[in-house]
Amino acid sequence: DITASGNTWPTAVSSTIGPLAPGSSAAFDVTVSIPTGAEVGTVDIVEINVTSQANLTKTATAKLVTASGSYKLFTPLVIGRT
């Protein structure tokens, strides 16, 4: 099972992966939605917890830090004859 906790911003994770053979690994997606209006440089930390379905004592934890940023949009300047 995969869970997310401790976050403020909306975060979605796959609920399960596998089954996996012992010692193997698998990728999964984590999607964090930065709220509209979040100030540049604001961060949110989410803890991702993965627990074996076959043995609940087998777990892994990771922290994911997401930061809001800014970007500049440049539109092309088109010069033509009139």
Side-chain angles (χ1 to χ4, degrees):
D1 294 329
I2 305 169
T3 60
S5 62
N7 52 300
T8 302
W9 296 345
T11 303
V13 296
S14 305
S15 59
T16 60
I17 52 175
L20 300 175
S24 64
S25 62
F28 59 90
D29 293 325
V30 176
T31 303
V32 178
S33 298
I34 300 173
T36 303
E39 292 187 29
V40 173
T42 304
V43 299
D44 188 46
I45 301 171
V46 60
E47 186 171 281
I48 306 298
N49 302 291
V50 181
T51 304
S52 169
Q53 293 176 334
N55 183 345
L56 298 179
T57 65
K58 302 293 183 185
T59 63
T61 302
K63 288 192 178 184
L64 172 67
V65 178
T66 304
S68 66
S70 68
Y71 60 91
K72 294 181 182 178
L73 177 64
F74 295 97
T75 57
L77 175 62
V78 179
I79 301 174
R81 294 184 189 173
T82 56

